[in-house]
Amino acid sequence: MTNVQTILSQLGGSRFIAMTGASVFSDGENTLVTKFKGSKVANIMYITLNSMDTYDVRICKYSKLNVSTIKEVNGAYSDMLKPIFENCTGLRTSL
């Protein structure tokens, strides 16, 4: 399993995709990029596995070729990914 697949499974995998309408992309072998629907606050997220074996999470709002960072968390553990996403966007990742 690649790092990107691992990150996606830690978010909830296919349940995360179904609940958020996410499109999942890979930006290299250590970064997951996902676009999602349903939140007025943000619509794109970057999660990168860093050298400390933790994650750097950046949740952004993309509109009209402008990307503004809404929330950035460095050094997040895998069990923190869902709460970070849910608290920032207001979207649920599972039922």
Side-chain angles (χ1 to χ4, degrees):
M1 187 179 281
T2 66
N3 291 333
V4 173
Q5 291 172 328
T6 302
I7 296 169
L8 182 59
S9 70
Q10 290 168 343
L11 282 170
S14 59
R15 290 184 185 136
F16 172 78
I17 293 170
M19 292 293 289
T20 62
S23 301
V24 178
F25 306 97
S26 174
D27 184 19
E29 43 182 80
N30 291 331
T31 302
L32 172 86
V33 180
T34 181
K35 290 183 181 180
F36 50 89
K37 302 173 186 176
S39 175
K40 293 181 181 180
V41 177
N43 58 6
I44 192 166
M45 177 173 59
Y46 303 88
I47 302 176
T48 304
L49 178 65
N50 62 30
S51 61
M52 300 296 292
D53 209 25
T54 58
Y55 298 102
D56 297 330
V57 180
R58 192 168 61 135
I59 299 174
C60 304
K61 178 74 173 179
Y62 174 80
S63 65
K64 299 181 183 173
L65 300 177
N66 185 22
V67 177
S68 56
T69 300
I70 305 300
K71 183 169 187 156
E72 189 165 355
V73 177
N74 294 318
Y77 293 102
S78 62
D79 61 343
M80 297 168 62
L81 294 178
K82 283 183 182 183
I84 290 169
F85 177 82
E86 290 178 351
N87 291 335
C88 182
T89 64
L91 299 175
R92 301 278 300 167
T93 58
S94 62
L95 293 175

